[in-house]
Amino acid sequence: MRYQTDNITDTHPRRKGVELLSADGFVHAKSCSVCEAIEQIQLPQEAQAEHHRRHGGGRHSLTVTQKAVVLAGGTGSALLPITDSHPKSLFPLANVPLLFHQAGFLRRCGVMDVGVVHPCADRLRSAFDAELTTVPRFRTFQERVAQGTAGSLRYCRDFVGDSSFLLIDSGVVGLDLDLQEAERFHTDQGAGITVLVQPADSGQSRDQVIESRDGRVESISVPYAPEPGRAVLSSLGVYFINPRVFEMIPQHGHFDLKEQLIPLLHRLGVPVFAYSVTGRARRFTTLTEYFDTNRDLLLDNFPGPVQQRRSAYDEVAQGVWVARSATVSPKARLIGPVVVGENCRVEAGASVVGPVSIGDGCSVMSGASISDSILWSGVRVSAGARVDRSILCTRSVVPPGRKLSAGVVLESGDPGGTPRLTPDTAPSSFTRFVSDNGRLTSASRGALARACYRVCKRLFDIVGSSLGLLLALPLLAVAAIAIKADSPGPVLFRQKRCGRGGRPFTMLKFRSMVQDAPQRQRELMSRNEVDGPMFKMTHDPRVTRVGRVLRKTCIDELPQLVNVLKGELSFVGPRPLTMDEMRFAPAWRDMRLSVKPGMTGPWQVYGHTDLGFHEWIRHDTDYARSRSMGRDMYILLQTARLVARAFFT
């Protein structure tokens, strides 16, 4: 299908003479460069000419584009606690780090140069020092502040140049995907972005690709709850991108590819397509998916990058690969698929039943039994221990005789080993343990501790909200009369927000703005002072005279005491938002919805409008993982201090 430039007449910024805005309110550009970018993306003839020039005049190349970008950053709450101390790109899969698998896939596709974006670029560079001199050539870019999937591309704008490039999300392992036809489609259609997809599993895939009637991609959603039947395509996390779309990415702030850039391109009429590819690919965003990906790779008979290391391994039995520097007793029992890394020791009487990967420098003592598990480097499984369907991270120890099933074990020195309160809606089926001097202890509070915390917090909410409503009754009456006398409209502002588990409720506030405030917000988006989903202005013209006083003193929040009494809110918790406002960061959304929202919380105490979106995510995630009555009391005291200061200044 071919597209003409007149398809975007209605939204053409040069013809309308207005700022180019997304529905999220970001000012993306006002200059003619945006118009030129849109036009160049939408002219297939020009794109094809560039394609032919780049590939020597022939119609199609035998290889895909020469450059790729891997977004290796982002921890994701579903991979906690491991990502507290171990970058996702270094997660071993069949004893080979994830980034090595991605490098092998790109090498098979003919990619020559790879840019890797990650907050710990120096650590990745040192870990892959030997590999950076090979093909593909690696270049790392340090993401100093979390910018979102599209925002992080700013770091490698000069690297990708003027030709289309391949983008791979973190956690993607392309086993045998054929990308030649996908690149051909992307070039011939003159697409801004081409999303590689495959049929979704029962319509319940995590990344659901929504297409409009004309066949373009309208959005890629990551629903909080499965939405069977809504979509039939699932994104693989692999994209072909025309570099002209950089013109639509704002220069600062958080900006996501799926949640913001693709919908923006769709509204502008810039073609974004989904292309169904053949072959196999795996993508993990949770511990369970990571475990299953490792399992599939082992069952795939020593695949991909592991092939490059065959010179260091011997197949001692069917499906059992042992590094030549490892020591395996002939009296040990190993049933494949099993990979045993360098300098490992497996003693007599030990049993290893695959699929199992054993990292470098591990020890499996006499009488120990391991089945269907992942052992990272330096792990010790003591005599008589039993390990089944578990993940043992670097330098962890399973004590003698201990039985471990569906567990994640971290060494006590890791930040992830610090005991924290596990969210009530756990992101995986694994139980977390800490290995400390040969002892294995739970790293999260038990069911009794969680129950005690919930009961104490609920009792505090009931008593506090009841007393608060009684004491504040005269103030509530005065505020209601003042609002009614100051401006037309209702006294209370009601809005649907998401509670714990995504359950909707009606949040109450005193109205502090004019009646048509939501309609006027679009006109003010260019003056937004915060990034992310929120809109904030220091001097918002929609705020009424009485509203300014109510907001400064936080009196406008007092009706939420009713929500607290009803159990919809708590005194302390993450700020209640709409589901639409949380679409920018699904992992953050899932973590914050595991706890009840609150009238006040870390966002209000630690900076409010001064915080960037990435800091907001960090504070919410940290609260969900380490909340306690002591911390709740501290936040309440800090809130009271801030309110008192507002009253007397």
Side-chain angles (χ1 to χ4, degrees):
M1 184 179 294
R2 306 293 180 182
Y3 293 92
Q4 304 299 322
T5 54
D6 57 4
N7 286 349
I8 61 168
T9 300
D10 292 339
T11 56
H12 199 291
R14 187 163 53 196
R15 294 189 183 106
K16 284 191 173 276
V18 298
E19 294 172 327
L20 178 62
L21 297 170
S22 74
D24 310 311
F26 291 109
V27 178
H28 297 280
K30 296 189 287 185
S31 66
C32 296
S33 62
V34 177
C35 310
E36 295 166 0
I38 296 170
E39 291 166 358
Q40 295 226 17
I41 290 173
Q42 294 199 116
L43 291 177
Q45 293 81 3
E46 294 181 19
Q48 288 181 43
E50 165 64 17
H51 177 76
H52 296 160
R53 181 193 65 75
R54 189 174 45 135
H55 294 294
R59 174 168 174 76
H60 296 295
S61 170
L62 294 177
T63 60
V64 299
T65 181
Q66 300 293 297
K67 291 188 177 181
V69 173
V70 177
L71 298 181
T75 58
S77 61
L79 286 171
L80 294 170
I82 301 180
T83 46
D84 279 332
S85 53
H86 302 283
K88 188 176 180 179
S89 290
L90 299 183
F91 275 38
L93 292 165
N95 273 15
V96 176
L98 167 62
L99 192 55
F100 275 27
H101 285 277
Q102 294 173 327
F105 165 64
L106 293 172
R107 183 183 297 112
R108 294 192 297 274
C109 292
V111 173
M112 301 297 293
D113 296 282
V114 180
V116 182
V117 184
H118 193 275
C120 303
D122 292 339
R123 182 172 178 183
L124 289 183
R125 192 180 299 113
S126 61
F128 292 94
D129 188 53
E131 292 290 320
L132 295 179
T133 58
T134 65
V135 176
R137 296 178 292 268
F138 281 81
R139 182 177 174 183
T140 56
F141 300 89
Q142 185 171 0
E143 186 180 18
R144 297 176 181 84
V145 176
Q147 299 289 319
T149 47
S152 61
L153 292 177
R154 305 185 193 104
Y155 295 103
C156 48
R157 174 65 184 93
D158 294 336
F159 166 78
V160 299
D162 297 327
S163 300
S164 290
F165 62 96
L166 190 66
L167 177 67
I168 298 181
D169 205 352
S170 62
V172 175
V173 182
L175 300 178
D176 56 5
L177 293 178
D178 183 2
L179 303 185
Q180 294 180 26
E181 291 300 321
E183 185 193 26
R184 183 178 304 171
F185 174 86
H186 171 76
T187 302
D188 288 349
Q189 298 297 338
I193 297 177
T194 298
V195 185
L196 272 57
V197 299
Q198 286 185 339
D201 297 332
S202 305
Q204 298 186 20
S205 176
R206 183 87 172 149
D207 286 5
Q208 296 185 344
V209 177
I210 310 300
E211 292 186 301
S212 58
R213 292 182 179 179
D214 61 3
R216 301 186 191 188
V217 173
E218 181 178 327
S219 65
I220 301 178
S221 66
V222 186
Y224 178 66
E227 300 179 28
R230 185 184 176 189
V232 295
L233 297 175
S234 171
S235 170
L236 297 179
V238 181
Y239 313 84
F240 281 102
I241 297 182
N242 189 311
R244 293 290 181 176
V245 304
F246 278 102
E247 301 292 344
M248 271 66 81
I249 300 175
Q251 295 182 358
H252 306 284
H254 187 279
F255 201 66
D256 278 311
L257 187 143
K258 293 180 295 187
E259 294 83 1
Q260 292 171 276
L261 180 57
I262 287 179
L264 171 64
L265 296 178
H266 178 75
R267 287 191 297 275
L268 294 174
V270 177
V272 178
F273 290 106
Y275 185 86
S276 295
V277 292
T278 57
R280 295 175 303 149
R282 289 304 303 252
R283 182 184 186 190
F284 66 86
T285 57
T286 67
L287 289 176
T288 301
E289 291 172 349
Y290 164 61
F291 184 89
D292 291 341
T293 299
N294 183 80
R295 196 174 193 274
D296 288 351
L297 286 169
L298 289 172
L299 292 170
D300 200 37
N301 190 26
F302 222 76
V306 189
Q307 297 279 0
Q308 303 165 28
R309 297 185 171 186
R310 280 206 173 194
S311 59
Y313 286 82
D314 289 321
E315 189 174 13
V316 298
Q318 184 176 0
V320 179
W321 293 86
V322 179
R324 290 174 182 170
S325 59
T327 302
V328 178
S329 169
K331 295 184 179 180
R333 176 171 170 260
L334 279 73
I335 301 176
V338 172
V339 179
V340 181
E342 297 178 1
N343 301 311
C344 288
R345 181 167 56 126
V346 182
E347 294 187 349
S351 173
V352 181
V353 179
V356 171
S357 57
I358 301 177
D360 297 342
C362 292
S363 299
V364 183
M365 310 310 289
S366 177
S369 174
I370 304 172
S371 62
D372 199 9
S373 296
I374 306 172
L375 278 65
W376 291 21
S377 61
V379 171
R380 177 186 175 91
V381 181
S382 302
R386 300 286 185 270
V387 177
D388 175 59
R389 192 176 168 77
S390 295
I391 302 171
L392 310 183
C393 295
T394 303
R395 299 184 304 277
S396 58
V397 177
V398 181
R402 180 64 184 263
K403 294 182 179 180
L404 180 67
S405 180
V408 177
V409 181
L410 295 103
E411 199 261 341
S412 61
D414 288 341
T418 303
R420 294 186 177 186
L421 184 60
T422 302
D424 299 324
T425 55
S428 76
S429 58
F430 291 91
T431 303
R432 184 174 63 182
F433 296 91
V434 173
S435 171
D436 186 10
N437 294 324
R439 295 175 298 175
L440 207 60
T441 56
S442 175
S444 59
R445 299 180 186 177
L448 179 60
R450 291 197 298 269
C452 288
Y453 172 73
R454 288 198 298 268
V455 169
C456 291
K457 185 165 185 172
R458 182 59 189 143
L459 287 174
F460 182 84
D461 287 344
I462 292 173
V463 174
S465 59
S466 300
L467 290 174
L469 285 170
L470 289 174
L471 295 174
L473 194 57
L475 184 59
L476 294 173
V478 171
I481 294 171
I483 292 169
K484 204 65 178 175
D486 181 55
S487 62
V491 170
L492 293 177
F493 171 76
R494 294 177 170 86
Q495 189 178 49
K496 288 290 185 182
R497 299 289 178 96
C498 288
R500 182 181 166 202
R503 289 185 292 271
F505 71 97
T506 301
M507 191 188 72
L508 303 176
K509 292 181 68 173
F510 277 132
R511 181 177 59 83
S512 59
M513 291 186 174
V514 294
Q515 273 189 284
D516 61 344
Q519 292 72 27
R520 292 176 58 182
Q521 181 172 315
R522 185 174 179 81
E523 304 170 7
L524 302 169
M525 281 298 188
S526 61
R527 297 161 63 183
N528 190 12
E529 298 171 359
V530 295
D531 62 347
M534 298 300 296
F535 175 83
K536 288 290 181 182
M537 284 180 62
T538 303
H539 303 289
D540 195 327
R542 300 172 300 162
V543 179
T544 63
R545 291 175 299 175
V546 170
R548 279 191 286 272
V549 177
L550 297 180
R551 284 176 163 235
K552 181 180 179 180
T553 57
C554 296
I555 294 175
D556 62 323
E557 309 279 353
L558 287 179
Q560 292 175 29
L561 290 170
V562 176
N563 296 118
V564 175
L565 186 60
K566 293 168 66 176
E568 298 164 336
L569 282 179
S570 179
F571 273 112
V572 180
R575 179 187 177 90
L577 300 175
T578 65
M579 190 64 76
D580 185 64
E581 288 174 325
M582 292 183 287
R583 72 186 185 279
F584 296 155
W588 165 66
R589 174 200 63 195
D590 296 348
M591 178 66 84
R592 74 194 317 275
L593 288 182
S594 68
V595 299
K596 189 180 294 185
M599 287 183 64
T600 185
W603 187 71
Q604 289 89 334
V605 169
Y606 296 124
H608 203 40
T609 56
D610 295 331
L611 288 181
F613 185 47
H614 65 285
E615 288 292 328
W616 185 2
I617 291 175
R618 183 176 66 84
H619 284 304
D620 277 352
T621 302
D622 186 62
Y623 176 80
R625 298 179 63 203
S626 59
R627 63 196 189 278
S628 65
M629 287 304 299
R631 184 168 187 180
D632 288 351
M633 293 300 104
Y634 172 79
I635 291 175
L636 281 174
L637 290 174
Q638 291 299 311
T639 302
R641 182 180 62 83
L642 293 174
V643 172
R645 181 189 298 173
F647 262 103
F648 298 106
T649 57

